[in-house]
Amino acid sequence: MKLARTRAELQAALAGAARPLGLVPTMGWLHDGHRSLIERSRRENRATVVSIFVNPRQFGSSEDLARYPRDEARDLAICAAEGVDIVFAPPVEEVYPAGFDTTVSVGAIARPLEGAARPGHFDGVATVVAVLFGLVRAERAYFGQKDAQQVMVIRRMALDLAMATEVLSCPTVREPDGLALSSRNVRLSPEQRAAATVLHRALVAARTLHERGEASGDALRGEMRRVLATEPLARTEYVSCADARTLLELERVEGPALLSLAVLFGTVRLIDNEPLG
Ligand code: PAF
């Protein structure tokens, strides 16, 4: 496995890499969700690049950039064990060199939900992913469905800007009790960790209600709020029952939809989602 710290080292490593190439962009603190992305990339490509970069541009001023968990030695060991060919783990100035002055801003799909709750977040995500796509020029890139809106934003960007990298999304990986794997889970106290199963419980309750025939968006959002309210440590930021293509809130579910929510446990913010139909 080659480790590249600079753009030049990355280009040198890529020169000898087999094609097709898969890219797994990450912010490190790798878990089984990332492992599933790496495994899929390895199945579908002849070489896999993992990027490890905690992107400051996608964190708001009051957000948890400084507290974002980091353990590069552990991440590199996981990549080696998973058979990754190249790890790109650059410092900030290699991704955003002096003079860097471009922001990629995706339109309507980036506005609701996470876009509304975290202003500027998707500009940061789209910009860093555009840089990574440009540097790696992979045939395919793999993202987790837990960040469903992120996948839609990146797809929109790749399509609109005629990027050659195909954007693929992979199923959310969960703990046995339903909690979606996230690098942020490590920051939960034991009590918060136990309480955090409420995200998945709320989604399952709303999905079950829908399966029993309930199509009202308000009723499904209400069901998620009802379940979340049973957990005193959970502070609900939003619940959503939206059109799966536009992410606009639905009055009635009559086609593919996405249930999603964002919940705070102290300062730890967790998101999750569940498709309907
Ligand atoms: O999902 C993430 O870990 C990040 O948003 C990404 C896609 C690596 C961009 O920094």
Side-chain angles (χ1 to χ4, degrees), residues 62-74:
S62 61
E63 289 183 21
D64 50 0
L65 172 63
R67 287 181 304 234
Y68 201 84
R70 296 165 207 241
D71 186 343
E72 193 189 74
R74 179 177 161 277

Side-chain angles (χ1 to χ4, degrees), residues 85-96:
D85 300 273
I86 302 170
V87 173
F88 181 44
V92 174
E93 60 275 16
E94 281 295 320
V95 177
Y96 304 120

Side-chain angles (χ1 to χ4, degrees), residues 109-122 149 153 238 269:
I109 199 69
R111 273 181 219 122
L113 306 177
E114 291 300 286
R118 304 179 67 189
H121 169 67
F122 283 128
Q149 188 178 14
V153 168
Y238 67 74
R269 184 175 184 277

Side-chain angles (χ1 to χ4, degrees), residues 25-27 53 55 58 125 128-129 143 147 150 154:
T26 82
M27 298 207 298
F53 179 63
N55 174 32
Q58 69 188 74
V125 170
V128 79
V129 173
F143 299 87
D147 298 300
Q150 169 170 280
I154 294 169

Side-chain angles (χ1 to χ4, degrees), residues 210 244-245 250 252-257 276-277:
H210 177 253
R245 278 175 290 258
L250 288 170
R252 292 190 65 73
V253 177
E254 280 159 354
L276 290 184

Side-chain angles (χ1 to χ4, degrees), residues 10 56 159 167 182 256 265:
L10 177 64
L159 190 68
V167 177
S182 162
F265 295 87

